[in-house]
Amino acid sequence: MQYLENIPLSTLTTMRLGGLARYVVKITATEDLKQAIQFAEERGLPWFVLGGGSNVVALGDYRGLIILNRITAFKKLREDSDTATYQIGAGEVWDSVVERLVQAGLSGVEAMSGIPGFAGSTPIQNVGAYGQEIADTLVELSAFDSSSQRLVTLSPDDCAFTYRNSIFKNPETRHHVIVSITLRLSKIPMQPPFYPSLQQYLTDHQLTDYSPAQIRAAVPAIRAERLPDLNYLASAGSFFKNPIVQASVAYELLRRFPDMPHWEAPGQQFKLAAGWLIDQAGLRSYSAHGLQIYPHNALVVTNISAQSGEDLLLFKSEVVAVVREMFGITLEQEPETLPS
Ligand code: EPU
């Protein structure tokens, strides 16, 4: 294994910010992972596992070891008349996994087509799109527990999935490195009602075939209008979480803004649309400090020419303040910040 030194974090994260990573190593097997963690611990350095860097923003230097998890595997474990179960290595490119499962005629991840990054990152923020989320298909995952130095199997309950969250996003419970995920897919296609923008697309194109292949063909077209191409424009996808508020807060806001999008959430709460709030606050296309609210989707922050993490922090605090002033809601960042 080759430990590279002083690598710009801007080359490892799609927001293309940050300083230097002291060490970077690519691993392709669990054994490599153990060695890499040992390398860091012997030197008293922290370590952090990165997939595609599309949901992590780096602000400054990282004085430890960045481990690029490229452990591959793609294996059918079981099949019955309605389902098929696959074990997938954490380092498999997510969209290629979706492609292979769709080619096998399986449903469960087709609406998550076109999401950047690697399979092992999907449980971290409970990735979801257009009505599907990874928590719906994940049956278990295998992880290296760095506190016990053992491979462990975690159930979805162990992962404590909620909207864009899991135990892996919490620094205090973050001692697992995901090695593989096991997904149970269905042989029955998705059924209506569909997520609004997906339904709109299907209606506009008079599509009534809901096969995984058809949904996989539709989703990238919807995404292309709303999300920048990471090859041309630096961003980390949705930059804010959709806020979840008490019903009383949502009702009060609906009195003032009757058109405000809102969805019921567990525990007598409502999920609101951060993109709508930012948009209504007049911040669509807002640009400062080298960053810009993406003109086609106010939920996305793009990095045009920011020089440092400080620029991003300033920009973020301006957006949060304007939205708080107008709606009384404090937006939270969705991508993780790489610890320093
Ligand atoms: N909206 C606006 N203006 C905007 C953006 C959105 O008015 O500039 C409104 C939309 O019209 C809609 C509502 O806000 O009524 C919600 O928008 P949309 O359905 O496009 O979804 P989203 O909340 O913007 C979420 C995920 C996306 C995922 C889409 C589709 C989060 C933080 N984001 O976006 O995930 O692709 O739903 O399922 O939950 C990501 O996490 O990086 C990501 C791209």
Side-chain angles (χ1 to χ4, degrees):
M1 287 194 309
Q2 207 188 347
Y3 291 88
L4 304 175
E5 294 188 53
N6 300 322
I7 302 297
L9 286 159
S10 57
T11 61
L12 300 174
T13 52
T14 61
M15 191 58 121
R16 296 187 215 150
L17 276 178
L20 297 178
R22 179 72 187 87
Y23 293 104
V24 175
V25 71
K26 199 178 278 188
I27 59 149
T28 54
T30 312
E31 205 39 53
D32 296 352
L33 174 62
K34 290 183 194 165
Q35 279 183 37
I37 292 174
Q38 199 181 352
F39 175 94
E41 286 175 354
E42 279 168 6
R43 288 162 180 76
L45 296 174
W47 51 271
F48 189 92
V49 178
L50 258 191
S54 55
N55 206 51
V56 174
V57 292
L59 300 177
D61 290 336
Y62 186 68
R63 294 183 186 82
L65 169 67
I66 297 285
I67 301 173
L68 301 175
N69 188 348
R70 303 291 184 263
I71 302 174
T72 55
F74 189 89
K75 193 165 121 196
K76 194 195 305 183
L77 299 180
R78 291 182 286 282
E79 184 169 4
D80 60 30
S81 54
D82 295 333
T83 68
T85 302
Y86 284 73
Q87 187 177 38
I88 296 150
E92 292 285 344
V93 172
W94 173 250
D95 195 53
S96 308
V97 169
V98 176
E99 183 179 32
R100 290 169 81 174
L101 296 172
V102 165
Q103 271 166 9
L106 296 166
S107 172
V109 292
E110 64 274 37
M112 292 189 271
S113 289
I115 292 179
F118 292 84
S121 310
T122 56
I124 293 176
Q125 52 148 334
N126 185 15
V127 161
Y130 306 105
Q132 291 178 339
E133 59 181 26
I134 199 73
D136 301 334
T137 40
L138 188 97
V139 282
E140 62 180 39
L141 61 79
S142 168
F144 181 71
D145 182 345
S146 61
S147 55
S148 65
Q149 298 279 315
R150 285 185 18 223
L151 269 182
V152 293
T153 301
L154 301 184
S155 71
D157 280 351
D158 295 333
C159 300
F161 291 123
T162 52
Y163 163 67
R164 289 295 192 274
N165 207 358
S166 74
I167 56 162
F168 309 111
K169 233 180 155 178
N170 176 350
E172 272 152 38
T173 45
R174 194 191 188 104
H175 45 86
H176 296 104
V177 179
I178 298 171
V179 171
S180 71
I181 59 174
T182 301
L183 303 181
R184 179 156 59 223
L185 292 310
S186 171
K187 295 183 181 175
I188 301 161
M190 284 174 86
Q191 299 297 323
F194 293 111
Y195 189 88
S197 50
L198 178 55
Q199 181 60 64
Q200 190 65 49
Y201 184 91
L202 296 171
T203 307
D204 290 350
H205 294 80
Q206 298 179 346
L207 300 170
T208 49
D209 163 17
Y210 307 142
S211 65
Q214 182 62 75
I215 302 293
R216 180 166 166 78
V219 165
I222 306 168
R223 287 180 67 89
E225 285 183 11
R226 317 264 312 148
L227 295 162
D229 183 335
L230 297 176
N231 293 315
Y232 301 104
L233 205 45
S235 91
S238 298
F239 191 72
F240 295 100
K241 285 192 201 178
N242 285 329
I244 298 187
V245 300
Q246 293 302 322
S248 56
V249 174
Y251 293 140
E252 176 55 24
L253 283 170
L254 281 166
R255 213 175 44 76
R256 289 167 54 206
F257 308 98
D259 300 336
M260 180 181 74
H262 58 286
W263 300 269
E264 275 186 42
Q268 302 195 324
Q269 302 189 100
F270 281 88
K271 183 155 93 175
L272 309 181
W276 185 90
L277 299 172
I278 297 165
D279 202 358
Q280 293 296 305
L283 292 172
R284 184 188 280 250
S285 306
Y286 172 68
S287 98
H289 313 292
L291 294 133
Q292 188 184 24
I293 297 285
Y294 190 47
H296 306 287
N297 181 357
L299 195 52
V300 175
V301 170
T302 60
N303 174 9
I304 309 293
S305 59
Q307 301 298 315
S308 70
E310 193 58 31
D311 288 336
L312 180 62
L313 291 177
L314 286 170
F315 182 83
K316 174 178 138 182
S317 63
E318 288 171 15
V319 173
V320 169
V322 172
V323 170
R324 192 195 290 131
E325 174 71 22
M326 185 157 171
F327 299 100
I329 287 178
T330 305
L331 294 178
E332 283 176 27
Q333 184 178 313
E334 198 274 326
E336 265 184 283
T337 296
L338 182 69
S340 52

PDB file of all heavy atoms in Angstrom, residues 21 24 33 52 61 82 103 132 193 198 200 221 267 269 281 285 296 300 320 338:
ATOM      1  N   ALA A  21      -4.116  16.977   2.890  1.00  0.00           N
ATOM      2  CA  ALA A  21      -4.232  15.792   3.748  1.00  0.00           C
ATOM      3  C   ALA A  21      -2.805  15.306   3.994  1.00  0.00           C
ATOM      4  O   ALA A  21      -2.031  15.127   3.041  1.00  0.00           O
ATOM      5  CB  ALA A  21      -5.037  14.706   3.060  1.00  0.00           C
ATOM      6  N   VAL A  24      -2.573   9.984   2.462  1.00  0.00           N
ATOM      7  CA  VAL A  24      -3.738   9.389   1.781  1.00  0.00           C
ATOM      8  C   VAL A  24      -3.349   7.984   1.347  1.00  0.00           C
ATOM      9  O   VAL A  24      -2.258   7.779   0.795  1.00  0.00           O
ATOM     10  CB  VAL A  24      -4.154  10.214   0.534  1.00  0.00           C
ATOM     11  CG1 VAL A  24      -5.273   9.504  -0.225  1.00  0.00           C
ATOM     12  CG2 VAL A  24      -4.612  11.621   0.927  1.00  0.00           C
ATOM     13  N   LEU A  33      -7.312  -2.330   5.306  1.00  0.00           N
ATOM     14  CA  LEU A  33      -7.956  -1.363   6.199  1.00  0.00           C
ATOM     15  C   LEU A  33      -7.331  -1.449   7.596  1.00  0.00           C
ATOM     16  O   LEU A  33      -6.974  -0.433   8.196  1.00  0.00           O
ATOM     17  CB  LEU A  33      -9.459  -1.668   6.244  1.00  0.00           C
ATOM     18  CG  LEU A  33     -10.287  -0.865   7.219  1.00  0.00           C
ATOM     19  CD1 LEU A  33     -10.248   0.614   6.876  1.00  0.00           C
ATOM     20  CD2 LEU A  33     -11.737  -1.361   7.215  1.00  0.00           C
ATOM     21  N   GLY A  52     -16.351   8.823  -2.443  1.00  0.00           N
ATOM     22  CA  GLY A  52     -16.148   9.720  -3.587  1.00  0.00           C
ATOM     23  C   GLY A  52     -15.989  11.172  -3.187  1.00  0.00           C
ATOM     24  O   GLY A  52     -15.805  12.031  -4.049  1.00  0.00           O
ATOM     25  N   ASP A  61      -6.778  21.946   6.507  1.00  0.00           N
ATOM     26  CA  ASP A  61      -5.897  20.784   6.355  1.00  0.00           C
ATOM     27  C   ASP A  61      -6.473  19.605   7.136  1.00  0.00           C
ATOM     28  O   ASP A  61      -7.264  19.790   8.062  1.00  0.00           O
ATOM     29  CB  ASP A  61      -4.512  21.089   6.950  1.00  0.00           C
ATOM     30  CG  ASP A  61      -3.733  22.098   6.126  1.00  0.00           C
ATOM     31  OD1 ASP A  61      -4.012  22.224   4.916  1.00  0.00           O
ATOM     32  OD2 ASP A  61      -2.853  22.764   6.711  1.00  0.00           O
ATOM     33  N   ASP A  82     -39.878 -13.605  -5.283  1.00  0.00           N
ATOM     34  CA  ASP A  82     -40.160 -12.165  -5.285  1.00  0.00           C
ATOM     35  C   ASP A  82     -38.942 -11.278  -5.106  1.00  0.00           C
ATOM     36  O   ASP A  82     -39.003 -10.076  -5.378  1.00  0.00           O
ATOM     37  CB  ASP A  82     -41.114 -11.810  -4.110  1.00  0.00           C
ATOM     38  CG  ASP A  82     -42.456 -12.452  -4.281  1.00  0.00           C
ATOM     39  OD1 ASP A  82     -42.833 -12.708  -5.437  1.00  0.00           O
ATOM     40  OD2 ASP A  82     -43.127 -12.708  -3.255  1.00  0.00           O
ATOM     41  N   GLN A 103     -30.320  -3.964 -14.565  1.00  0.00           N
ATOM     42  CA  GLN A 103     -30.186  -4.920 -15.678  1.00  0.00           C
ATOM     43  C   GLN A 103     -30.716  -6.290 -15.300  1.00  0.00           C
ATOM     44  O   GLN A 103     -31.226  -7.027 -16.136  1.00  0.00           O
ATOM     45  CB  GLN A 103     -28.728  -5.044 -16.114  1.00  0.00           C
ATOM     46  CG  GLN A 103     -28.380  -4.028 -17.191  1.00  0.00           C
ATOM     47  CD  GLN A 103     -26.874  -3.905 -17.392  1.00  0.00           C
ATOM     48  OE1 GLN A 103     -26.089  -4.685 -16.855  1.00  0.00           O
ATOM     49  NE2 GLN A 103     -26.487  -2.906 -18.171  1.00  0.00           N
ATOM     50  N   GLN A 132     -37.170   6.572  -2.863  1.00  0.00           N
ATOM     51  CA  GLN A 132     -36.477   5.391  -2.321  1.00  0.00           C
ATOM     52  C   GLN A 132     -35.350   5.873  -1.421  1.00  0.00           C
ATOM     53  O   GLN A 132     -34.746   6.914  -1.692  1.00  0.00           O
ATOM     54  CB  GLN A 132     -35.866   4.547  -3.455  1.00  0.00           C
ATOM     55  CG  GLN A 132     -36.900   3.849  -4.311  1.00  0.00           C
ATOM     56  CD  GLN A 132     -36.250   3.064  -5.463  1.00  0.00           C
ATOM     57  OE1 GLN A 132     -35.119   3.325  -5.866  1.00  0.00           O
ATOM     58  NE2 GLN A 132     -36.993   2.111  -6.003  1.00  0.00           N
ATOM     59  N   PRO A 193     -48.405   5.881  -5.771  1.00  0.00           N
ATOM     60  CA  PRO A 193     -48.011   7.239  -6.149  1.00  0.00           C
ATOM     61  C   PRO A 193     -46.494   7.431  -6.105  1.00  0.00           C
ATOM     62  O   PRO A 193     -45.832   6.933  -5.209  1.00  0.00           O
ATOM     63  CB  PRO A 193     -48.685   8.093  -5.062  1.00  0.00           C
ATOM     64  CG  PRO A 193     -48.806   7.181  -3.882  1.00  0.00           C
ATOM     65  CD  PRO A 193     -49.014   5.816  -4.428  1.00  0.00           C
ATOM     66  N   LEU A 198     -40.968  12.954 -10.129  1.00  0.00           N
ATOM     67  CA  LEU A 198     -40.905  11.736 -10.950  1.00  0.00           C
ATOM     68  C   LEU A 198     -42.263  11.533 -11.639  1.00  0.00           C
ATOM     69  O   LEU A 198     -42.328  11.235 -12.845  1.00  0.00           O
ATOM     70  CB  LEU A 198     -40.527  10.540 -10.069  1.00  0.00           C
ATOM     71  CG  LEU A 198     -40.464   9.170 -10.725  1.00  0.00           C
ATOM     72  CD1 LEU A 198     -39.523   9.163 -11.927  1.00  0.00           C
ATOM     73  CD2 LEU A 198     -40.004   8.101  -9.715  1.00  0.00           C
ATOM     74  N   GLN A 200     -44.395  13.799 -12.367  1.00  0.00           N
ATOM     75  CA  GLN A 200     -44.525  14.840 -13.392  1.00  0.00           C
ATOM     76  C   GLN A 200     -43.834  14.413 -14.682  1.00  0.00           C
ATOM     77  O   GLN A 200     -44.385  14.548 -15.777  1.00  0.00           O
ATOM     78  CB  GLN A 200     -43.906  16.141 -12.850  1.00  0.00           C
ATOM     79  CG  GLN A 200     -44.176  17.373 -13.682  1.00  0.00           C
ATOM     80  CD  GLN A 200     -45.658  17.726 -13.694  1.00  0.00           C
ATOM     81  OE1 GLN A 200     -46.267  17.773 -12.632  1.00  0.00           O
ATOM     82  NE2 GLN A 200     -46.225  17.914 -14.869  1.00  0.00           N
ATOM     83  N   ALA A 221     -32.660  12.332 -16.178  1.00  0.00           N
ATOM     84  CA  ALA A 221     -33.188  13.499 -16.895  1.00  0.00           C
ATOM     85  C   ALA A 221     -33.726  14.516 -15.885  1.00  0.00           C
ATOM     86  O   ALA A 221     -33.537  15.731 -16.054  1.00  0.00           O
ATOM     87  CB  ALA A 221     -34.294  13.055 -17.851  1.00  0.00           C
ATOM     88  N   GLY A 267     -43.837  11.452  14.391  1.00  0.00           N
ATOM     89  CA  GLY A 267     -43.813  12.198  15.653  1.00  0.00           C
ATOM     90  C   GLY A 267     -44.494  13.551  15.568  1.00  0.00           C
ATOM     91  O   GLY A 267     -43.996  14.520  16.149  1.00  0.00           O
ATOM     92  N   GLN A 269     -44.647  15.732  13.301  1.00  0.00           N
ATOM     93  CA  GLN A 269     -43.745  16.758  12.780  1.00  0.00           C
ATOM     94  C   GLN A 269     -44.001  16.910  11.278  1.00  0.00           C
ATOM     95  O   GLN A 269     -44.693  16.077  10.670  1.00  0.00           O
ATOM     96  CB  GLN A 269     -42.300  16.349  13.018  1.00  0.00           C
ATOM     97  CG  GLN A 269     -41.995  16.110  14.490  1.00  0.00           C
ATOM     98  CD  GLN A 269     -40.527  15.920  14.711  1.00  0.00           C
ATOM     99  OE1 GLN A 269     -39.816  16.816  15.121  1.00  0.00           O
ATOM    100  NE2 GLN A 269     -40.049  14.735  14.415  1.00  0.00           N
ATOM    101  N   ALA A 281     -36.644  33.234   0.172  1.00  0.00           N
ATOM    102  CA  ALA A 281     -35.902  34.285   0.866  1.00  0.00           C
ATOM    103  C   ALA A 281     -35.127  35.145  -0.137  1.00  0.00           C
ATOM    104  O   ALA A 281     -34.385  36.048   0.259  1.00  0.00           O
ATOM    105  CB  ALA A 281     -34.962  33.654   1.890  1.00  0.00           C
ATOM    106  N   SER A 285     -29.556  32.005  -6.887  1.00  0.00           N
ATOM    107  CA  SER A 285     -28.451  32.622  -7.648  1.00  0.00           C
ATOM    108  C   SER A 285     -27.576  33.561  -6.805  1.00  0.00           C
ATOM    109  O   SER A 285     -26.637  34.169  -7.326  1.00  0.00           O
ATOM    110  CB  SER A 285     -28.936  33.414  -8.876  1.00  0.00           C
ATOM    111  OG  SER A 285     -29.730  32.608  -9.686  1.00  0.00           O
ATOM    112  N   HIS A 296     -30.586  26.791 -10.662  1.00  0.00           N
ATOM    113  CA  HIS A 296     -31.651  25.833 -10.996  1.00  0.00           C
ATOM    114  C   HIS A 296     -32.193  25.082  -9.785  1.00  0.00           C
ATOM    115  O   HIS A 296     -33.110  24.270  -9.918  1.00  0.00           O
ATOM    116  CB  HIS A 296     -31.153  24.818 -12.023  1.00  0.00           C
ATOM    117  CG  HIS A 296     -30.588  25.468 -13.234  1.00  0.00           C
ATOM    118  ND1 HIS A 296     -31.381  26.080 -14.174  1.00  0.00           N
ATOM    119  CD2 HIS A 296     -29.304  25.664 -13.625  1.00  0.00           C
ATOM    120  CE1 HIS A 296     -30.605  26.596 -15.114  1.00  0.00           C
ATOM    121  NE2 HIS A 296     -29.346  26.355 -14.797  1.00  0.00           N
ATOM    122  N   VAL A 300     -28.766  23.737  -3.555  1.00  0.00           N
ATOM    123  CA  VAL A 300     -27.393  23.372  -3.901  1.00  0.00           C
ATOM    124  C   VAL A 300     -26.485  24.606  -3.852  1.00  0.00           C
ATOM    125  O   VAL A 300     -26.834  25.657  -4.380  1.00  0.00           O
ATOM    126  CB  VAL A 300     -27.362  22.754  -5.320  1.00  0.00           C
ATOM    127  CG1 VAL A 300     -25.934  22.471  -5.771  1.00  0.00           C
ATOM    128  CG2 VAL A 300     -28.184  21.473  -5.348  1.00  0.00           C
ATOM    129  N   VAL A 320     -27.970  31.042   6.090  1.00  0.00           N
ATOM    130  CA  VAL A 320     -28.709  30.600   7.288  1.00  0.00           C
ATOM    131  C   VAL A 320     -29.373  31.801   7.964  1.00  0.00           C
ATOM    132  O   VAL A 320     -30.544  31.737   8.363  1.00  0.00           O
ATOM    133  CB  VAL A 320     -27.758  29.842   8.253  1.00  0.00           C
ATOM    134  CG1 VAL A 320     -28.410  29.598   9.613  1.00  0.00           C
ATOM    135  CG2 VAL A 320     -27.319  28.514   7.636  1.00  0.00           C
ATOM    136  N   LEU A 338     -15.369  17.480   7.056  1.00  0.00           N
ATOM    137  CA  LEU A 338     -14.203  16.671   7.432  1.00  0.00           C
ATOM    138  C   LEU A 338     -13.610  17.268   8.703  1.00  0.00           C
ATOM    139  O   LEU A 338     -13.297  18.458   8.726  1.00  0.00           O
ATOM    140  CB  LEU A 338     -13.174  16.716   6.286  1.00  0.00           C
ATOM    141  CG  LEU A 338     -11.911  15.885   6.473  1.00  0.00           C
ATOM    142  CD1 LEU A 338     -12.224  14.401   6.427  1.00  0.00           C
ATOM    143  CD2 LEU A 338     -10.887  16.244   5.406  1.00  0.00           C
TER     144      LEU A 338
END
